């Protein structure tokens, strides 16, 4: 717009006002763009660092896993070599000096039905007397094999785990007092008495599979308020691996005794079969035991948190 100044002079002067345009916000936008770029760069660098750390952690875990399996393979090979040496030389020597005389005395003294009664009675009563019943299970494997031997042992084991359970109820307060003195050690036992029927069954099964002293647990179970049903069923299921190992040991002893009695060495296929069966039994036992221990640690941590 144009203005005319005619205040004092006659001449008309054209006045054009100075036009000034100010652009605001430009400097602020540049600052924001710079900050945004810096943030993006920092985020990219952080993501790269995270990827590097994850890759290094993954490679470390991978190397540990490979080294673990290598050590496990070496251990299994070493155990297999020892088993082969035992079957070839040490086993026959022990058969001649120790086991064959006992087996001959056993066969001459007791009939097969009487051996069945003795095996049942020992497996049923020894746990209540805090005595191991594994030798009786070996005899069951030597005499009756897997089929009848398993049925004989599992039925006797049902009695063997039930007697301490009911006897322990007579000393319930004393057992509870002992558990209260050692809360951390007893947490794994208390975990078996928590939860519903299936939780108790699972916990008892894991305790039986793990290397926890089952003779002690037989008496302490009643103090954890575990019900008899899941206790009995979990005990029987958890003892299945141990029973098969004991039966296999008895069959292996009988095989070695027969070979030594007939004065001939085991053939290569027999050695491979026995060594393979032994290694398979050892590996299965280790796998079950490791799994049971890990699961029991989880239950123990949960119980310790509850106690705190």
């Amino acid at each position: 717009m144009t203005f005319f100044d005619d205040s004092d002079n006659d001449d008309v002067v054209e006045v054009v006002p100075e036009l000034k345009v100010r652009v605001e916000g430009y400097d602020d936008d540049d600052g924001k763009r710079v900050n945004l770029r810096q943030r993006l760069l920092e985020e990219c660098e952080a993501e790269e660092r995270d990827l590097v750390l994850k890759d290094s952690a993954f490679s470390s875990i991978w190397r540990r896993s490979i080294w673990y399996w290598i050590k496990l393979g070496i251990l299994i090979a070493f155990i297999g070599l020892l088993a082969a040496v035992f079957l070839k030389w040490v086993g026959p020597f022990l058969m001649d000096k120790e086991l064959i005389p006992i087996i001959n005395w056993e066969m001459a003294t007791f009939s097969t039905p009487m051996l069945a009664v003795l095996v049942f009675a020992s497996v049923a009563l020894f746990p209540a007397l805090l005595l191991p019943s594994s030798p009786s299970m070996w005899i069951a494997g030597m005499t009756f094999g897997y089929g009848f031997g398993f049925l004989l042992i599992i039925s006797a084991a049902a009695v063997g785990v039930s007697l301490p359970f009911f006897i322990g109820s007579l000393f319930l307060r004393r057992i509870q007092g002992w558990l209260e003195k050692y809360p951390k050690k007893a947490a794994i036992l208390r975990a078996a008495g928590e939860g519903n029927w299936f939780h108790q069954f699972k916990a008892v099964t894991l305790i039986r599979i793990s290397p926890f002293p089952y003779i002690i647990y037989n008496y302490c179970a009643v103090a954890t308020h575990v019900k008899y049903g899941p206790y009995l069923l979990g005990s029987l299921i958890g003892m299945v691996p141990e029973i098969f190992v004991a039966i296999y040991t008895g069959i292996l002893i009988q095989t070695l005794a027969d070979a030594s009695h007939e004065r001939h060495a085991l053939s290569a296929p027999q050695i491979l079969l026995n060594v393979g069966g032994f290694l398979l039994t050892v590996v299965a036992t280790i796998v079950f035991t490791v799994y049971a221990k890990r699961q029991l640690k989880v239950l123990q941590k949960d119980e310790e948190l509850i106690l705190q």
Side-chain angles (χ1 to χ4, degrees):
M1 183 178 293
T2 305
F3 298 92
F4 297 92
D5 187 7
D6 53 355
S7 56
D8 296 329
N9 299 325
D10 294 335
D11 297 333
V12 179
V13 179
E14 182 180 356
V15 179
V16 178
E18 182 180 1
L19 179 63
K20 295 182 179 181
V21 179
R22 181 180 179 183
V23 180
E24 297 181 353
Y26 183 77
D27 295 336
D28 294 338
D29 291 341
D30 287 342
K32 291 180 179 178
R33 290 176 183 175
V34 172
N35 292 334
L36 181 60
R37 289 176 183 175
Q38 291 178 350
R39 290 179 182 178
L40 291 175
L41 290 175
E42 291 175 357
E43 290 178 357
C44 292
E45 292 176 356
E47 289 179 357
E48 290 179 357
R49 287 195 298 268
D50 292 339
L51 290 175
V52 171
L53 292 175
K54 289 180 180 179
D55 291 339
S56 61
F58 177 77
S59 61
S60 176
I61 295 173
W62 186 69
R63 287 194 298 268
R64 290 179 183 177
S65 178
I66 292 179
W67 180 237
Y68 170 78
W69 287 108
I70 291 175
K71 291 191 293 184
L72 182 61
I74 294 174
L75 177 61
I76 293 174
F78 179 72
I79 294 175
L81 180 61
L82 289 180
V85 172
F86 179 84
L87 291 173
K88 185 68 177 179
W89 291 288
V90 180
F93 176 78
L94 292 177
M95 294 297 110
D96 290 335
K97 299 298 183 182
E98 300 295 337
L99 292 179
I100 285 182
I102 296 175
I103 293 173
N104 292 333
W105 173 81
E106 171 191 307
M107 295 299 181
T109 306
F110 304 104
S111 61
T112 301
M114 182 59 68
L115 283 176
V117 173
L118 291 176
V119 169
F120 184 91
S122 59
V123 175
L125 298 177
F126 281 5
L129 302 175
L130 303 181
L131 296 175
S133 56
S134 295
S136 299
M137 297 183 186
W138 298 347
I139 295 175
M142 294 167 56
T143 309
F144 305 107
Y146 285 108
F148 185 72
F150 175 79
L151 295 176
L152 181 65
I153 293 173
I154 200 70
S155 58
V159 180
V161 299
S162 298
L163 287 178
F165 184 85
F166 294 118
I167 295 174
S169 62
L170 301 176
F171 307 95
L172 181 59
R173 293 184 178 179
R174 292 186 180 181
I175 297 175
Q176 288 178 342
W178 178 81
L179 294 178
E180 291 175 357
K181 289 181 180 179
Y182 307 97
K184 291 185 178 180
K185 294 182 180 179
I188 190 173
L189 300 180
R190 293 185 182 277
E194 302 293 335
N196 55 18
W197 194 96
F198 180 77
H199 176 83
Q200 294 182 0
F201 162 75
K202 178 182 176 181
V204 173
T205 303
L206 293 174
I207 291 174
R208 292 297 185 186
I209 296 175
S210 69
F212 190 87
Y214 71 93
I215 294 178
I216 296 177
Y217 179 67
N218 290 340
Y219 283 98
C220 294
V222 67
T224 63
H225 304 293
V226 62
K227 296 181 180 178
Y228 177 70
Y231 166 78
L232 178 61
L233 187 59
S235 297
L236 297 181
I237 297 298
M239 291 177 66
V240 168
E242 178 190 358
I243 292 173
F244 274 108
V245 170
I247 292 175
Y248 176 79
T249 303
I251 293 174
L252 182 60
I253 291 173
Q254 186 64 50
T255 302
L256 294 175
D258 293 340
S260 179
H261 181 69
E262 296 173 3
R263 299 297 178 182
H264 68 83
L266 294 175
S267 62
Q270 287 178 321
I271 293 177
L272 291 176
L273 181 62
N274 286 293
V275 171
F278 175 77
L279 292 178
L280 182 62
T281 303
V282 170
V283 171
T285 303
I286 292 174
V287 170
F288 280 118
T289 303
V290 171
Y291 173 77
K293 288 179 68 176
R294 289 180 178 177
Q295 295 298 317
L296 285 175
K297 286 182 179 179
V298 175
L299 294 177
Q300 184 177 8
K301 289 181 181 179
D302 295 340
E303 184 65 22
E304 289 177 354
L305 291 176
I306 293 174
L307 292 176
Q308 292 176 357

